[in-house]
């Protein structure tokens, strides 16, 4: 098969049809720009869905990967390895955590978190204490346990029976949690900023209220920071910004900057419930992933990078609001740092995907979060000139849709 034949139509011939990828196939990236097979260039405000935290082909990450690739690729957890130990130490130094479990994705980090929450309660309080409370519209991954904890029933449809003992309350509504919580509750699981659910930040009072409810009922507070973590909000983790410390935190996506890795962070006391043989992963803590994530954390945790997020965020937010007002397309831009959601007005309801496609036509990649929100999650070091260029292109995309409607 020659290269020309590798096109979008091949997807339908050889891939399971669970995704609906766009027509263009990117082949190369650099910083916040991407090029497709035809050499067309795009500004990337999608960031691989909040993953390419330092852009594409970041020299430091390439260096870390190549360096480790020339040393040691894989051992399994029969033996430990230096990159995993160093990365775990860094995560403990930079956060509330005292213990780390490595996985390969956000879903797996959450799977470990939910299993640990149950196991801890089982050991400490007995088998009756097994219920998990999470939130409507939340998203925690695609394994059977994580889609069941997630609050979007469509992702569970046809996959039942689901694990039992899971209840869903309303996000930012403490009373609805109070109505569900009992001595049987082992954990409350929450995204500090609901990502897939539309970039909806929790209020500080809500997260503090959950902390208090967990303390009162001997339940663990689990923060899913798979999307909000690793500098995206301008803080290494969003919990720092809220001043509310969880017992367990899951992180992935940006942690590897594009290399698959996830991690579950917790305290020594809680971690003790995952004794030898209780849980595991062949690849978790793989030296290649850990070496790259080390470089990501060393870079992102620098104060000037985190400060730079704010400047870029302000620019992007103002530009999107401006477009929103000029074309009557957005009612607000919500979120923090470089995890932003531009919310469609009444007259644009349901048209987020159309806007995304129009953006591609004009050379800018954005994301959606449901049918009514344009989501932006670019590299934390996107040049400000790329932000401006992306906004110009997106402006053209919206204008075109407006003139098509008028014509
Ligand atoms: N948790 C949150 C908050 C997410 O946004 C996602 C992915 O979008 C996941 C978990 C699942 O992560 P992964 O796709 O790496 O399994």
């Amino acid at each position: 098969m020659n290269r020309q034949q590798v096109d979008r139509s091949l997807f339908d011939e050889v891939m399971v049809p669970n995704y609906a990828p766009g027509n263009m196939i990117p082949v190369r990236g650099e910083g916040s720009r991407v090029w497709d097979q035809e050499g067309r260039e795009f500004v990337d405000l999608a960031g691989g869905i909040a993953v390419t935290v330092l852009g594409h082909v970041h020299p430091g990450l390439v260096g870390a990967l190549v360096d480790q690739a020339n040393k040691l690729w894989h051992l399994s957890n029969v033996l430990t390895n230096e990159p995993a130990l160093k990365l775990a130490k860094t995560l403990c130094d930079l956060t509330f955590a005292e213990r780390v479990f490595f996985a390969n994705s956000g879903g797996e980090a959450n799977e470990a978190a939910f299993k640990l929450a149950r196991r801890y309660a089982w050991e400490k309080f007995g088998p009756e204490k097994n219920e998990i409370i999470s939130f409507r519209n939340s998203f925690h991954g695609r394994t059977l346990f994580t889609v069941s904890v997630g609050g979007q029933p469509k992702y569970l449809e046809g996959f039942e029976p689901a694990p039992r003992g899971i209840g869903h309350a309303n996000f930012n509504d403490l009373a609805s949690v109070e109505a569900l919580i009992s001595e049987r509750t082992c954990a409350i699981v929450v995204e500090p900023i609901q990502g897939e659910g539309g970039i909806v930040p929790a209020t500080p009072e809500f997260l503090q209220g959950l902390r208090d409810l967990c303390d009162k009922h001997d339940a663990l507070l689990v923060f899913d920071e798979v999307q909000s973590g690793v500098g995206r909000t301008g803080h290494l983790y969003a919990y720092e910004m809220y001043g509310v410390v969880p017992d367990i935190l899951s992180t992935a996506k940006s942690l590897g900057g594009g290399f698959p890795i996830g991690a579950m962070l917790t305290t020594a006391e809680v971690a003790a419930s995952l004794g030898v043989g209780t849980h595991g992963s062949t690849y978790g803590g793989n030296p290649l992933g850990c070496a790259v994530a080390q470089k990501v954390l060393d870079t992102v945790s620098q104060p000037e990078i985190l400060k730079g997020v704010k400047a870029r965020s302000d620019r992007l937010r103002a530009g999107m609001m401006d477009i929103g007002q000029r074309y009557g397309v957005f009612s607000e831009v919500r979120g923090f740092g470089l995890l932003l959601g531009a919310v469609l007005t009444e007259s644009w309801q349901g048209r987020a995907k159309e806007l995304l496609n129009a953006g591609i036509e004009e050379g800018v990649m954005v994301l959606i979060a449901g049918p009514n929100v344009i989501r932006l999650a670019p590299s934390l070091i996107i040049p400000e000139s790329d932000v401006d260029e992306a906004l110009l292109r997106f402006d053209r995309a919206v204008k075109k849709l407006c003139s098509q409607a008028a014509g």
Side-chain angles (χ1 to χ4, degrees):
M1 181 187 293
N2 73 37
R3 196 164 174 350
Q4 287 309 314
Q5 288 171 299
V6 181
D7 58 20
R8 174 62 180 80
S9 65
L10 188 57
F11 181 93
D12 299 328
E13 288 170 35
V14 298
M15 304 283 273
V16 168
N18 61 316
Y19 302 117
N23 283 330
M24 65 102 167
I25 300 184
V27 291
R28 188 168 71 82
E30 192 183 326
S32 284
R33 304 265 174 153
V34 166
W35 289 265
D36 75 2
Q37 289 174 311
E38 272 74 50
R40 287 206 313 152
E41 172 260 318
F42 302 84
V43 185
D44 183 3
L45 295 184
I49 320 189
V51 168
T52 47
V53 68
L54 295 173
H56 299 280
V57 197
H58 183 276
L61 301 193
V62 173
L65 181 61
V66 169
D67 192 38
Q68 187 58 42
N70 281 312
K71 286 185 189 153
L72 187 67
W73 283 34
H74 179 77
L75 288 165
S76 89
N77 288 295
V78 172
L79 294 166
T80 190
N81 66 78
E82 287 184 0
L85 293 172
K86 280 190 204 157
L87 181 62
K89 176 80 173 82
T90 303
L91 284 165
C92 290
D93 288 346
L94 292 174
T95 71
F96 76 97
E98 297 164 328
R99 296 290 185 273
V100 177
F101 169 82
F102 287 119
N104 311 291
S105 65
E108 280 178 67
N110 280 330
E111 185 82 19
F114 306 162
K115 282 179 73 179
L116 172 57
R118 281 207 171 150
R119 183 90 184 181
Y120 174 79
W122 176 81
E123 246 181 35
K124 229 177 146 185
F125 303 99
E128 302 291 299
K129 194 173 178 66
N130 59 43
E131 290 180 4
I132 293 174
I133 296 175
S134 72
F135 296 93
R136 296 199 173 84
N137 286 326
S138 66
F139 185 81
H140 299 296
R142 298 293 200 134
T143 67
L144 192 54
F145 200 178
T146 55
V147 277
S148 306
V149 172
Q152 305 196 35
K154 63 178 186 228
Y155 293 137
L156 191 54
E157 207 176 272
F159 297 117
E160 286 107 339
R164 288 173 295 128
I166 299 163
H168 294 94
N170 294 327
F171 192 65
N172 277 336
D173 175 1
L174 262 190
S176 73
V177 185
E178 277 159 5
L180 279 183
I181 200 162
S182 73
E183 73 282 358
R184 295 173 64 95
T185 305
C186 72
I188 297 178
V189 177
V190 66
E191 294 164 84
I193 301 157
Q194 283 194 338
E196 302 301 305
I199 313 296
V200 188
T203 64
E205 306 76 52
F206 179 63
L207 291 189
Q208 186 57 53
L210 295 182
R211 178 71 274 175
D212 296 342
L213 282 173
C214 282
D215 292 344
K216 189 167 152 203
H217 292 88
D218 289 319
L220 298 179
L221 182 59
V222 181
F223 279 0
D224 179 343
E225 290 229 32
V226 167
Q227 192 153 159
S228 61
V230 194
R232 208 139 273 289
T233 60
H235 301 259
L236 192 59
Y237 286 97
Y239 81 85
E240 300 165 29
M241 174 177 79
Y242 281 100
V244 178
V245 181
D247 302 294
I248 301 177
L249 181 148
S250 55
T251 176
K253 285 191 182 281
S254 291
L255 182 61
F259 198 97
I261 183 170
M264 176 190 72
L265 317 183
T266 189
T267 62
E269 207 245 325
V270 174
S273 294
L274 280 190
V276 175
T278 52
H279 190 59
S281 158
T282 296
Y283 282 120
N286 168 280
L288 289 172
C290 290
V292 176
Q294 183 73 49
K295 190 68 188 177
V296 169
L297 276 183
D298 289 347
T299 309
V300 169
S301 61
Q302 288 168 22
E304 59 273 22
I305 299 277
L306 294 174
K307 253 192 241 136
V309 170
K310 166 125 182 52
R312 289 163 175 80
S313 175
D314 290 348
R315 207 176 184 96
L316 196 50
R317 194 189 281 267
M320 288 299 275
M321 262 331 283
D322 180 49
I323 292 173
Q325 273 157 9
R326 271 185 298 113
Y327 299 102
V329 60
F330 302 130
S331 55
E332 64 167 317
V333 179
R334 62 194 179 203
F336 295 102
L338 290 171
L339 184 57
L340 297 175
V343 184
L344 297 186
T345 52
E346 271 306 309
S347 53
W348 283 78
Q349 288 297 288
R351 296 181 68 186
K353 192 72 195 273
E354 219 181 305
L355 279 162
L356 179 150
N357 289 333
I360 295 284
E361 288 299 310
E362 294 302 320
V364 57
M365 291 155 62
V366 300
L367 296 164
I368 61 174
N372 298 317
V373 176
I374 293 292
R375 176 172 32 160
L376 307 174
S379 156
L380 304 190
I381 55 169
I382 182 172
E384 296 197 14
S385 54
D386 280 7
V387 171
D388 294 344
E389 181 60 29
L391 287 166
L392 272 178
R393 294 181 187 189
F394 197 69
D395 188 311
R396 279 207 298 271
V398 180
K399 193 175 185 175
K400 212 163 160 185
L401 282 185
C402 289
S403 60
Q404 276 166 9

